[in-house]
Amino acid sequence: MSVTVQARPYEFTLNPQQAALVIIDMQRDFVEPGGFGDALGNDVSQLRACIGPIGAVLATARAKNMLVIHTREGHRPDLADLHGSKHRRGRFATRIGDAGPMGRILVHGEVGHGIIAELSPIPGEPVIDKPGKGAFYATDLETILRARGITQLILAGVTTEVCVHTTLREANDRGFECLVLEDGTASYFPEFHRMALEMACAQDGIFGWVAPGAAVISALAHT
Ligand code: TIU
């Protein structure tokens, strides 16, 4: 049964059986001091606002037996999957693979690489490790979605204009209908957050839809 989500630029027809909540990179490395986001010179406290709204949608998605997928940006301990261009970019003192207060920056298995406790995956929820910004690049995300008959994605996580937007664009070109949670995403730059959301739904939905988490929750209440 499909339900109607009040969204921009117009209503989104959500079919929970064919939809997945994709929570992007809600890792300590981005959200907590001493991680990758911090090493890039950002105020990581900017990202905390999206945790509560994501948690609320996550609880509803689980209650409604929707597929929930988590992603983590990171690299193998030997950095074999890290492009030199990504490693070298920027003039930062601390780089990917270097030791930090939460372990080696953006490396699989380190404390900083883990998803924050508030949004921890539970058994049965696929966790996708991705070396790039987009969740489809060099991962099995598309295979998992197609195998489950998923055609719609609700996108949440960080950062709005980087990994969320890259994934939105990748998903759009692969034929998935996407809705971005406006309060379930965040950026180190508030104006980039706002413009990334505008870009997503401009031109009558060039990439998809945008809505607050509460709109998704109230629509799902009818299922
Ligand atoms: N720097 C920044 O805004 N984002 C990233 O590096 N990765 C993600 O967005 N996950």
Side-chain angles (χ1 to χ4, degrees), residues 45-76:
S45 67
Q46 296 271 357
L47 301 191
R48 300 206 71 86
C50 71
I51 297 172
I54 296 173
V57 174
L58 175 60
T60 303
R62 285 172 176 164
K64 300 293 178 183
N65 290 315
M66 274 178 56
L67 177 63
V68 175
I69 291 182
H70 306 259
T71 75
R72 298 184 297 205
E73 181 176 348
H75 299 278
R76 295 167 178 257

Side-chain angles (χ1 to χ4, degrees), residues 25 30 36 40 73 133 158-159 162-163 188:
D25 300 357
F30 293 104
F36 184 57
L40 297 177
E73 181 176 348
K133 304 306 184 200
V158 295
T159 61
V162 181
C163 290
Y188 300 118

Side-chain angles (χ1 to χ4, degrees), residues 24-25 27 30 71 73 86 130 132-135 155-170:
I24 297 171
D25 300 357
Q27 299 160 258
F30 293 104
T71 75
E73 181 176 348
K86 183 179 180 184
K130 63 189 197 40
K133 304 306 184 200
L155 297 177
V158 295
T159 61
T160 322
E161 81 280 12
V162 181
C163 290
V164 175
H165 233 271
T166 305
T167 302
L168 167 68
R169 290 164 186 242
E170 289 178 326

Side-chain angles (χ1 to χ4, degrees), residues 123-137:
E125 294 176 350
V127 178
I128 307 286
D129 281 315
K130 63 189 197 40
K133 304 306 184 200
F136 288 86
Y137 169 67

Side-chain angles (χ1 to χ4, degrees), residues 70-149:
H70 306 259
T71 75
R72 298 184 297 205
E73 181 176 348
H75 299 278
R76 295 167 178 257
D78 62 3
L79 306 185
D81 58 354
L82 175 60
H83 292 305
S85 60
K86 183 179 180 184
H87 201 190
R88 287 188 300 270
R89 199 164 48 244
R91 291 167 289 181
F92 306 108
T94 311
R95 295 176 176 277
I96 296 170
D98 291 350
M102 295 190 290
R104 293 178 66 206
I105 302 274
L106 228 55
V107 169
H108 296 177
E110 303 287 341
V111 171
H113 182 254
I115 292 171
I116 59 171
E118 296 94 318
L119 302 173
S120 278
I122 59 174
E125 294 176 350
V127 178
I128 307 286
D129 281 315
K130 63 189 197 40
K133 304 306 184 200
F136 288 86
Y137 169 67
T139 73
D140 55 7
L141 174 60
E142 184 168 2
T143 305
I144 291 172
L145 296 173
R146 303 270 185 226
R148 306 268 190 119

